[in-house]
């Protein structure tokens, strides 16, 4: 078998195995995994892969054969220079068109903040350049992601956050890494970049939040109660910790006790701005006040219990303002902001 044919054959087989399409990075990873070619014989085996894809695709400038002919094998799915390749049958039609269409219909939901936080934490602990989708940490994270109670529907359960998908998500972060000499995967979401920018300079905080998410999943009652709130989607630490946080703020027994203590001391009013719902709304506002849980969500660990001193009685406005900054403002800091006005 000629060297050229060997590489073409291998890329064809790889694309078939990964669903008919893949980025160059995905193709490289699969070739290494399959071990069908002795890569040690080549100074730059990845260049061989790229060269043979380009030589046998009419979507490139170096293609020298007949467009749509038997040597027009590979198809640039997203357009020239995008690095996403698929197989093309003779006549220029993608031989996996139906399969890819069905796969698209069964596309799993986009990654949420919680999932990206966990993936980025693993990225900083285990750079994808030094591991593969077979690494125990990748497999472990796949299992954790599948246990998160944040997706109501998984259309393609077999592929949902599987080790291959987890590994490729780690590779998505390479494009933001100033220490990575290459480009990384070009595909990715704006949320990936946002999460990267938020935590790149505070990896310790990122790790604490990741560990809190993992610990919170063990308590299904707290983590699985969807609030159907806009704030749940925007909460910087993700859905899971937002749900745990709100669950603890609404812990009926503890909240009742906190309110009772304040009522007996004639202090059932906002501890920040002194707003009294009863004085303003009369009977309608009697006994009403919100509770803010002061313990940072990054410190939520398995077995952490809410204490009475962890709760602060606040009005709705002050409650939202306390949540607007990271780390959260204390009631004293918010009081100082009010005094400045």
């Amino acid at each position: 078998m000629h060297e050229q044919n060997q590489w073409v054959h291998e890329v064809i087989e790889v694309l078939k195995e990964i669903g008919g399409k893949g980025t160059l990075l995905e193709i490289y990873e699969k070739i290494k995994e399959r071990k069908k070619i002795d890569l040690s014989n080549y100074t730059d085996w990845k260049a061989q892969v790229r060269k043979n894809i380009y030589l046998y695709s009419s979507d490139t400038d170096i293609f020298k054969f007949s467009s749509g002919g038997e040597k027009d094998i590979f198809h640039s799915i997203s357009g020239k220079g995008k690095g996403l390749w698929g197989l093309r049958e003779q006549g220029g039609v993608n031989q996996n068109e139906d399969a890819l269409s069905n796969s698209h219909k069964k596309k799993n939901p986009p990654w949420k903040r919680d999932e990206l936080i966990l993936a980025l934490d693993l990225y900083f602990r285990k750079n994808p350049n030094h591991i593969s989708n077979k690494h125990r940490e990748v497999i472990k994270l796949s299992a954790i992601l599948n246990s998160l109670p944040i997706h109501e529907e998984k259309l393609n359960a077999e592929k949902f956050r599987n080790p291959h998908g987890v590994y490729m998500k780690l590779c998505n972060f390479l494009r933001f890494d100033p220490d990575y000499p290459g480009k990384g995967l070009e595909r990715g979401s704006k949320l990936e970049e946002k999460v990267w920018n938020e935590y790149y300079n505070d990896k310790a905080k990122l790790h604490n939040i990741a560990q809190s998410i993992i610990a919170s999943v063990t308590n299904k009652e707290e983590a699985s109660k969807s609030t159907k709130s806009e704030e749940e989607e925007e909460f910087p630490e993700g859905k899971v910790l937002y749900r745990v946080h709100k669950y603890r703020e609404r812990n009926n027994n503890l909240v009742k006790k906190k309110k009772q203590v304040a009522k007996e001391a004639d202090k059932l009013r906002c501890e920040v701005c002194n707003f009294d719902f009863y004085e303003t709304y009369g009977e309608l506002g009697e006994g009403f006040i919100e509770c803010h849980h002061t313990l940072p969500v990054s410190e939520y660990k398995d077995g952490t219990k809410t204490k009475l001193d962890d709760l602060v009685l606040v009005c709705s406005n002050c409650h939202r303002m306390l949540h607007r900054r990271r780390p959260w403002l204390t009631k004293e800091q918010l009081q100082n902001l009010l005094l400045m006005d």
Side-chain angles (χ1 to χ4, degrees):
M1 178 181 290
H2 297 296
E3 178 182 86
Q4 186 183 66
N5 289 335
Q6 171 182 286
W7 287 108
V8 170
H9 174 77
E10 181 64 7
V11 174
I12 290 173
E13 293 304 310
V14 163
L15 287 172
K16 287 179 179 178
E17 285 192 21
I18 62 177
K21 65 176 179 177
T23 63
L24 286 173
L25 199 56
E26 289 172 316
I27 294 170
Y28 298 152
E29 180 62 29
K30 196 65 179 178
I31 288 175
K32 286 194 295 183
E33 181 184 314
R34 281 165 51 85
K35 298 180 180 178
K36 300 294 184 181
I37 298 176
D38 186 356
L39 303 179
S40 64
N41 291 332
Y42 300 88
T43 303
D44 187 357
W45 64 268
K46 294 179 181 179
Q48 294 292 330
V49 174
R50 294 192 298 273
K51 180 183 75 173
N52 281 280
I53 290 176
Y54 300 161
L55 283 172
Y56 289 87
S57 173
S58 60
D59 294 327
T60 69
D61 295 331
I62 65 173
F63 181 72
K64 302 299 183 184
F65 307 108
S66 298
S67 179
E70 62 179 8
K71 293 185 178 181
D72 190 5
I73 299 172
F74 304 112
H75 168 55
S76 180
I77 294 175
S78 299
K80 185 178 177 180
K82 300 299 183 181
L84 181 62
W85 294 96
L87 292 172
R88 187 204 314 269
E89 72 173 350
Q90 292 182 26
V93 181
N94 189 338
Q95 66 179 6
N96 292 287
E97 186 174 349
D98 291 338
L100 292 176
S101 177
N102 290 335
S103 173
H104 180 72
K105 291 176 183 177
K106 293 183 178 181
K107 189 175 181 180
N108 277 313
W111 286 57
K112 298 291 187 180
R113 267 186 172 274
D114 318 63
E115 299 170 298
L116 292 175
I117 286 171
L118 293 173
L120 185 58
D121 177 58
L122 178 56
Y123 176 92
F124 289 129
R125 291 187 290 111
K126 301 289 182 181
N127 190 287
N129 283 327
H130 305 138
I131 61 174
S132 72
N133 59 10
K134 303 294 185 182
H135 194 280
R136 64 180 182 276
E137 290 287 345
V138 173
I139 295 172
K140 180 180 177 182
L141 178 55
S142 173
I144 291 171
L145 294 174
N146 272 274
S147 71
L148 294 180
I150 60 176
H151 294 293
E152 295 180 1
E153 191 173 15
K154 302 173 184 177
L155 297 179
N156 192 336
E158 182 181 345
K159 291 187 176 181
F160 182 83
R161 309 303 187 250
N162 62 16
H164 176 72
V166 171
Y167 177 74
M168 297 317 300
K169 184 58 64 176
L170 298 184
C171 292
N172 277 2
F173 287 119
L174 286 170
R175 72 187 192 278
F176 307 124
D177 197 334
D179 297 323
Y180 179 62
K183 289 185 176 181
L185 290 179
E186 293 184 0
R187 291 187 298 168
S189 68
K190 291 182 179 179
L191 185 56
E192 289 168 7
E193 184 174 10
K194 192 171 183 179
V195 171
W196 173 277
N197 290 336
E198 286 175 7
Y199 296 109
Y200 175 69
N201 292 316
D202 199 345
K203 299 177 181 63
K205 179 181 178 181
L206 171 70
H207 185 65
N208 284 339
I209 294 174
Q211 292 302 302
S212 295
I213 292 172
I214 294 171
S216 298
V217 171
T218 61
N219 190 327
K220 296 294 184 182
E221 183 181 12
E222 293 185 0
S224 62
K225 290 186 177 298
S226 175
T227 61
K228 302 296 183 183
S229 166
E230 180 181 339
E231 193 175 1
E232 178 178 292
E233 294 291 339
E234 299 173 350
F235 203 64
E237 295 81 7
K239 283 188 174 186
V240 169
L241 292 186
Y242 178 79
R243 292 174 184 179
V244 173
H245 175 69
K246 297 309 292 185
Y247 178 89
R248 295 185 178 190
E249 286 187 336
R250 295 169 178 173
N251 183 310
N252 285 336
N253 291 332
L254 206 59
V255 170
K256 284 181 180 179
K257 188 173 181 180
K258 182 75 176 181
K259 287 183 178 181
Q260 186 60 37
V261 170
K263 191 172 183 179
E264 291 175 357
D266 195 25
K267 294 181 179 179
L268 191 61
R269 57 180 66 91
C270 179
E271 295 182 40
V272 175
C273 70
N274 212 37
F275 183 84
D276 187 318
F277 282 89
Y278 179 68
E279 287 183 359
T280 303
Y281 297 104
E283 184 180 347
L284 179 64
E286 185 175 6
F288 182 82
I289 196 77
E290 293 188 12
C291 273
H292 169 61
H293 192 283
T294 61
L295 185 67
V297 291
S298 60
E299 296 180 19
Y300 287 177
K301 298 294 182 283
D302 194 16
T304 301
K305 301 296 182 182
T306 302
K307 304 186 296 293
L308 206 63
D309 290 342
D310 293 329
L311 296 176
V312 175
L313 298 177
V314 287
C315 68
S316 306
N317 286 343
C318 288
H319 198 178
R320 292 299 295 270
M321 294 302 102
L322 289 170
H323 279 187
R324 278 183 65 82
R325 285 190 183 171
R326 293 296 185 279
W328 287 334
L329 293 172
T330 64
K331 68 176 183 180
E332 290 80 14
Q333 288 172 325
L334 191 56
Q335 283 172 337
N336 289 336
L337 286 178
L338 289 174
L339 291 175
M340 289 173 62
D341 293 339

